[in-house]
Amino acid sequence: MTLPSELENPVPAKLAVEHVSKSFQTKRGNLQALDDVSLTVGEGEFVCLVGPSGCGKSTLLNLVTGLDEPDKGGLSSDGLKITRTGRERGMMFQEHALFPWLDVLGNVLFGLKLKPHLTPAERLQVAKFYLELVGLKDFIHANIHELSGGMKQRVALARALAPNPRLLCMDEPFAALDAMTREHLYADLQDIWSRRRKTILFVTHNVREAVCLGDRVVLFSPNPGRIREEFRIDLPRPRDINSVELAGYATRITRALKSHTGTTPSAE
Amino acid sequence: MKRVVTSVLFFAGLVAVWQALAAAGLWSPVLLPPPGDVAHYLLKAVKDGSLLEASLVTLGRLLVGYLLGCLLGLPLGLACSRVQALSDTIGVLALGLQTLPSVCWVPLALLWYGQSETAMLFVVVMGTLWSVLIAVDNGAQSLPPIYVRAARTMGSHGLHTLIHVVLPASLPFIVSGMKQGWAFAWRSLMAAEIYVTILTGYGLGHLLHFGRELNDMTQVIGVMLIIVVIGLLADKLLFAPWERFLHRRWGTGR
C-alpha cells in the first residue's frame, strides 16, 4: 500500500510578517523583544535568522507557530491570519522536547494520531517513512534516553515533519550538539529539505551554519529586536560548511553583525 | 537468582534468631511464642477459612476505597494544576488535610456513619484522596513547559494535551503519589479495624484485636505477618511494574 496523498508534499507556505511588535515583562523591566519587524518568506524558501541572544529571533518563531501572540502587527500564512498553533506550522526546539514516556516511534506517531482520517496502519507507515528519512529506522523502539544528542534531534526532526507541515520553524536545533554531529546534520538536513520541500525559518547564533543552510540570512539586532540587514546566499547546493566561498559569505555577514550590534556571535 | 538467595538466607536467619530467643526461655512463651506455634496458628486459620475471609474483607474495603480516592484525586489534581482558583482553594484544603494523619478521620467517620462499611470506606478514601491529589497537582505543575508547547505545534489542544501530554509527563509523580496514598489508606484501615467492630465483616484488624483480647500472641504475630506480606505483595504487584516502566522509559534508576 502506498499513501500518495499523505506523503505527497503540499505546496510550502508563504509567510508574511507585518509590522510585528512584542514585548515581555521581566524582572528588570520591559523587554522589547521585537520592534516593528516585517519579513516575507516565499514558498519553500529556507530563511536563517541570525543575531545575538535576546534579539527576538525565538520570539518571532513563537509568533509564527502561534505559540504566542504579537502585541502589534500581524502574521499570516498564505494570506490567512495566524491566530493559534496548528499542525501546518511545525516547530523544532533547541532542547529536543521529545516525550520521555513514549519510545521513538511513539513520539513520531504523536502528531499523526491527531490526523483522524488516517488508519493506524497508515500512521505507522508514515512514521516509518520519516524515521527512515532521518536515518533511524533501526531505532524505532528505542527509548529516548538511550539516544545520543544527534539522534534525539533526528527524531525531533522526524516528529516535526511527520504531520506534513507546510512551514517548519527550527529554533537553534543543532546548538547543543558537537561539531562533527552538526556537520552530518547540515548535509542531511539539506538532503531532506530537497526531498520534502518546506518553507523553513531557522534560528541560529552561528553565521556559518546560517550561510550553509539558508537561501537568505536575516540579521537581527537586540534591544529592541529589529531586522538590520539581509543577505541572499547564491551558492549551489548541497553546500559544504567548510568551503571557501561559504567562509567568504560568513566573514562578510559576521562583520555586518558586529557593526550593527558591537558584539561577536559565534563564527565557528 | 543471587538476589533471591540473599533474601531467603536473610529471612531464614531472622526466623532462626527468633527461634533461638524463644528457646532460650528469657521471656514467657505467652509473650514470645516460637515460630512453630505461629505457623501452627496460621495453618489452622487458613484451614478454618477465617484468615482468608478476614483478608478478603480487608482487601475489599481497601480496594474500593483506594480506587475511589484515586478516581477523585487524579482529575481534581489535574484541575488544580491548570486552574489557579482551584489551586488556591481545593489545593490548599488538600495540603492541610493531607497533614492530618488519616487515623484522625476514624472518630468523625464513626459519628457520621456509625459502625458501618461506609465509615470504613470514608476513612480509606480520606487516606488516599489528598495525597494522590497533591502528587498529581505537583507533578503537573513541575512539568517542563516545552512538552506542552511541542504538543501544541503538532496540533494538540485543550483536553487532548491534558490527557496525552500533561498526564503521562507527570507519571513519575503520580505513581509515587498513588504509592503514598496506598500506604496511608492501608494504615488508616488497619487502625479503623482495630478500634471499631463492624458487624458486616471482620477484617485483619479485627483478627488482630481479638488476638489481643484472647491473650493469644500466636494470633497477634501471625496476623501481623499476614499484614506485612499483603503490604509487600501490593507493592510488588501494583507498583513495581509501573516503576519498572518509568525507569525504562525515563532512564532513571539502576
Side-chain angles (χ1 to χ4, degrees), chain B:
Chain B
M1 194 61 212
K2 191 177 163 225
R3 286 173 52 202
V4 176
V5 172
T6 317
S7 285
V8 167
L9 280 179
F10 172 75
F11 286 106
L14 266 189
V15 173
V17 170
W18 176 9
Q19 172 69 42
L21 283 177
L26 294 172
W27 297 277
S28 149
V30 177
L31 293 182
L32 186 69
D37 290 7
V38 174
H40 186 256
Y41 160 75
L42 285 176
L43 214 62
K44 192 187 85 196
V46 167
K47 270 189 193 144
D48 68 18
S50 61
L51 193 61
L52 185 69
E53 199 194 321
S55 303
L56 287 181
V57 166
T58 296
L59 284 178
R61 285 172 184 157
L62 190 64
L63 277 179
V64 174
Y66 179 67
L67 285 180
L68 214 60
C70 288
L71 283 180
L72 287 170
L74 274 170
L76 274 177
L78 273 182
C80 281
S81 73
R82 298 283 113 179
V83 184
Q84 190 60 48
L86 285 179
S87 175
D88 293 340
T89 51
I90 308 269
V92 175
L93 180 73
L95 201 62
L97 292 182
Q98 194 230 8
T99 62
L100 189 70
S102 38
V103 190
C104 300
W105 288 104
V106 175
L108 184 138
L110 288 175
L111 289 175
W112 275 3
Y113 302 109
Q115 284 166 259
S116 66
E117 289 294 327
T118 318
M120 293 279 140
L121 198 65
F122 180 78
V123 171
V124 176
V125 170
M126 286 300 119
T128 311
L129 173 60
W130 309 117
S131 50
V132 171
L133 194 161
I134 284 169
V136 174
D137 185 12
N138 278 347
Q141 280 195 32
S142 53
L143 288 191
I146 194 153
Y147 292 148
V148 171
R149 293 162 67 83
R152 283 176 60 196
T153 65
M154 288 183 277
S156 170
H157 290 279
L159 198 62
H160 183 275
T161 309
L162 207 57
I163 292 172
H164 292 274
V165 180
V166 176
L167 197 62
S170 337
L171 211 53
F173 290 87
I174 293 175
V175 169
S176 68
M178 285 177 69
K179 210 169 154 175
Q180 196 191 18
W182 174 267
F184 284 179
W186 184 225
R187 283 157 177 70
S188 50
L189 179 62
M190 279 304 114
E193 283 188 352
I194 289 173
Y195 287 135
V196 188
T197 310
I198 304 282
L199 300 174
T200 46
Y202 297 131
L204 287 169
H206 300 122
L207 278 191
L208 198 58
H209 179 65
F210 298 151
R212 185 192 76 91
E213 300 224 305
L214 298 170
N215 248 351
D216 183 354
M217 197 52 126
T218 58
Q219 181 168 343
V220 169
I221 294 180
V223 174
M224 282 174 72
L225 282 178
I226 295 300
I227 292 173
V228 167
V229 167
I230 290 179
L232 271 178
L233 281 179
D235 195 85
K236 294 279 179 221
L237 296 179
L238 286 179
F239 299 109
W242 283 101
E243 287 174 333
R244 274 201 299 277
F245 169 78
L246 291 179
H247 288 326
R248 196 178 75 235
R249 276 282 196 261
W250 266 259
T252 49
R254 272 179 295 178

Side-chain angles (χ1 to χ4, degrees), chain A residues 78-251:
Chain A
D78 295 323
L80 293 172
K81 196 170 176 339
I82 295 171
T83 53
R84 59 180 230 160
T85 52
R87 61 167 165 262
E88 64 284 351
R89 278 165 284 118
M91 174 89 162
M92 214 180 136
F93 302 87
Q94 179 177 350
E95 316 95 282
H96 55 78
L98 296 171
F99 301 145
W101 59 94
L102 299 171
D103 62 7
V104 167
L105 183 64
N107 270 280
V108 180
L109 282 172
F110 184 90
L112 291 168
K113 286 188 178 160
L114 284 153
K115 290 188 145 185
H117 62 278
L118 293 177
T119 66
E122 288 169 335
R123 291 192 186 112
L124 191 65
Q125 200 185 349
V126 174
K128 284 183 171 166
F129 169 84
Y130 284 103
L131 281 168
E132 184 154 12
L133 191 69
V134 299
L136 285 177
K137 72 172 173 8
D138 295 333
F139 294 88
I140 280 179
H141 294 297
N143 295 310
I144 301 308
H145 70 92
E146 293 163 342
L147 305 176
S148 68
M151 287 157 92
K152 283 178 188 155
Q153 285 304 40
R154 285 171 188 272
V155 178
L157 179 60
R159 184 175 76 166
L161 288 172
N164 219 359
R166 301 174 52 217
L167 181 138
L168 184 60
C169 290
M170 304 176 83
D171 191 359
E172 300 188 49
F174 306 145
L177 305 176
D178 64 85
M180 287 285 278
T181 309
R182 249 185 283 160
E183 284 190 23
H184 273 296
L185 280 162
Y186 296 148
D188 288 359
L189 180 61
Q190 293 186 70
D191 178 45
I192 289 167
W193 180 62
S194 72
R195 288 199 267 165
R196 312 292 307 171
R197 207 80 184 173
K198 310 277 176 208
T199 304
I200 295 187
L201 271 182
F202 189 105
V203 162
T204 178
H205 282 100
N206 184 326
V207 174
R208 288 183 77 128
E209 179 173 283
V211 175
C212 178
L213 295 171
D215 293 322
R216 202 154 37 113
V217 174
V218 178
L219 282 194
F220 278 71
S221 69
N223 302 324
R226 283 186 183 142
I227 292 179
R228 302 309 292 251
E229 213 171 335
E230 292 190 20
F231 296 83
R232 184 157 289 286
I233 312 297
D234 290 314
L235 290 174
R237 291 180 186 272
R239 298 175 188 158
D240 175 7
I241 189 137
N242 297 313
S243 79
V244 180
E245 299 93 322
L246 201 146
Y249 271 104
T251 312

Side-chain angles (χ1 to χ4, degrees), chain A residues 8-68:
Chain A
E8 205 171 77
N9 256 329
V11 182
K14 226 176 343 194
L15 179 75
V17 177
E18 282 159 341
H19 304 292
V20 160
S21 296
K22 176 80 186 171
S23 62
F24 293 103
Q25 284 302 329
T26 65
K27 279 180 203 146
R28 275 175 288 170
N30 201 42
L31 175 76
Q32 189 73 31
L34 290 172
D35 181 33
D36 194 23
V37 166
S38 296
L39 178 73
T40 49
V41 181
E43 274 171 28
E45 195 180 8
F46 198 134
V47 172
C48 292
L49 313 178
V50 178
S53 305
C55 68
K57 300 164 298 187
S58 298
T59 307
L60 183 59
L61 291 197
N62 288 337
L63 298 178
V64 169
T65 50
L67 285 169
D68 246 329

